[in-house]
Amino acid sequence: MNTRKILLSVIGILIIVASVFVARSIINSKKTPRPKPEKVIKTVFIDTVKNGNVPIIIPANGNLSAKQRVELYSEVQGVFRKGNKLFKAGQSYKSGETIIRIDASEYAASVQSAKSNLYNLITSIMPDLRLDYPEIFPKWQKYLSDFNMENSTPALPEMTDEKEKYFISGRGILTNYYNVKNLEQRLSKYRISAPFSGILTEALVTEGTLVRSGQKLGEFINTDIYEMEVAIGKAYSDLLRVGEKVELVNLNGTKTYTGKVARINGSVDLASQTIRAYIDVKDENLREGMYLEANLDARQEEDAIEIDRGLLLEDNKIFVVRDTILDIIDVKPVYFSDRKVVLKNVPDGITIVSKPVVGAYAGMLVKVFDESNSKTKE
């Protein structure tokens, strides 16, 4: 029994030792060769430089506002009477059409009373004029004949003689006349008419409400012409001209409008160092508050090129390709926009990189993209 156990133990030990040797031999026999690093040559897109005239276009943006705007205020007190049209935002009125009518029946009666007093006063002096001033009697008689209580009080006859002036003034006619004209002027304030054709954009009262003196009633704008205020860098202020045409584009870029520079502010904003310019634009599809983008033609830069801003390196340098090697040259930027930069001092005929290359450096080996081969494969 003991001999059998010893034998089995020896056999187990031999099996374990043999397994270890077999495993080592298998491991040593599997030698994976280390791969050699491949040298990657990046492909670059290029352009050949050809200097020319590059238009400097200044982008600007802003919101449209009505060029003609009237805030409606009441100078008198009374009840707002209903008119031919509802006093509501969006209601259109033609030039001269009544927008607001305030009840003036009580005040109109006092005006008629004052006009009657003036008429009676002039009538009372007619016998004296016939006797003492027969030469001026006809014109005053004609004035009374033309006097109509329903119409505005006509101007008094012209007084050329000193005696006539003293006589008429001494009877209090001039005082009464100007008092009547003052009352008539105030009576006209009970009716507010449209100064131009347009639309009511704000209505703060409704028909039947009591309107107080000095109360704001609404806002009225002219829809025929709008203006847009834009901020221009002071460096280009001397390049803008009043009357210059401007291309305007809506936010989606689907519609284009043509405007012109109407005014240019003479002062520079201290905070932003910009100058405000105002562009007039007409179109039936425009609305107040619309956001538009403007492209202002500032000037032509001669002997220059335009590239993407991402191609300009620090210290004003760009990549060029000499044979198959990247190199760097110095350039002179003269204008920056959101996406582009205008450069000078770039030699004609030189090959520049037209699209950014990740990890690029001077002396890097590159391969120029062959557009002809690419089209052939397609």
Side-chain angles (χ1 to χ4, degrees), residues 72-75 204-205 209-218:
L72 306 175
Y73 283 89
S74 174
E75 297 183 59
L204 303 178
V205 293
T209 58
L210 177 64
V211 175
R212 292 177 173 81
S213 178
Q215 180 179 351
K216 185 178 180 180
L217 308 177

Side-chain angles (χ1 to χ4, degrees), residues 77-306:
Q77 180 170 311
V79 177
F80 184 9
R81 292 303 183 194
K82 184 178 179 181
N84 295 329
K85 295 181 178 179
L86 286 176
F87 188 75
K88 299 291 184 181
Q91 183 64 59
S92 62
Y93 296 90
K94 294 182 179 180
S95 178
E97 190 175 359
T98 300
I99 300 177
I100 296 171
R101 185 170 60 88
I102 300 173
D103 186 11
S105 55
E106 182 179 350
Y107 191 81
S110 64
V111 174
Q112 291 296 92
S113 176
K115 290 172 67 175
S116 178
N117 290 335
L118 174 64
Y119 184 85
N120 293 336
L121 187 59
I122 297 175
T123 303
S124 67
I125 68 168
M126 294 306 290
D128 293 334
L129 287 178
R130 183 188 293 271
L131 295 174
D132 300 333
Y133 305 96
E135 68 279 3
I136 65 173
F137 175 80
K139 66 179 180 182
W140 285 95
Q141 182 64 43
K142 185 178 185 305
Y143 180 80
L144 286 178
S145 300
D146 296 339
F147 198 99
N148 190 335
M149 294 293 292
E150 301 301 324
N151 298 334
S152 177
T153 303
L156 292 175
E158 185 179 358
M159 292 173 283
T160 57
D161 186 74
E162 291 293 331
K163 292 180 180 181
E164 180 185 7
K165 291 180 181 179
Y166 292 148
F167 180 80
I168 297 300
S169 178
R171 295 300 181 94
I173 294 177
L174 290 179
T175 302
N176 276 268
Y177 170 77
Y178 288 114
N179 180 53
V180 170
K181 297 303 289 185
N182 182 54
L183 294 175
E184 288 181 338
Q185 181 65 28
R186 186 163 183 80
L187 180 62
S188 65
K189 299 181 184 300
Y190 282 82
R191 173 182 175 272
I192 300 177
S193 58
F196 43 77
S197 298
I199 288 180
L200 194 67
T201 58
E202 185 180 28
L204 303 178
V205 293
T206 57
E207 290 84 348
T209 58
L210 177 64
V211 175
R212 292 177 173 81
S213 178
Q215 180 179 351
K216 185 178 180 180
L217 308 177
E219 197 169 274
F220 186 71
I221 67 168
N222 186 352
T223 55
D224 290 338
I225 183 169
Y226 296 91
E227 70 176 10
M228 185 175 75
E229 178 183 316
V230 296
I232 305 298
K234 65 177 184 179
Y236 300 98
S237 61
D238 58 331
L239 303 175
L240 290 178
R241 295 289 183 270
V242 173
E244 182 178 349
K245 289 187 177 181
V246 180
E247 182 183 278
L248 303 172
V249 184
N250 65 353
L251 188 60
N252 299 326
T254 55
K255 290 188 177 181
T256 303
Y257 310 95
T258 301
K260 67 176 181 178
V261 179
R263 307 189 310 278
I264 300 174
N265 202 331
S267 62
V268 178
D269 185 88
L270 296 178
S272 61
Q273 289 296 294
T274 57
I275 292 178
R276 299 285 176 177
Y278 300 87
I279 302 169
D280 285 354
V281 57
K282 294 181 179 181
D283 195 281
E284 59 182 8
N285 296 319
L286 294 175
R287 295 291 183 272
E288 187 174 49
M290 284 181 62
Y291 179 88
L292 296 179
E293 295 180 349
N295 294 317
L296 304 173
D297 293 332
R299 69 165 187 261
Q300 295 276 340
E301 192 68 49
E302 298 179 353
D303 296 327
I305 64 170
E306 186 180 48

Side-chain angles (χ1 to χ4, degrees), residues 292-327:
L292 296 179
E293 295 180 349
N295 294 317
L296 304 173
D297 293 332
R299 69 165 187 261
Q300 295 276 340
E301 192 68 49
E302 298 179 353
D303 296 327
I305 64 170
E306 186 180 48
I307 65 171
D308 292 337
R309 288 191 64 167
L311 298 175
L312 184 65
L313 308 176
E314 295 182 1
D315 301 326
N316 297 331
K317 299 177 184 296
I318 61 171
F319 280 118
V320 299
V321 179
R322 303 185 189 277
D323 294 330
T324 56
I325 305 296
L326 282 186
D327 197 4

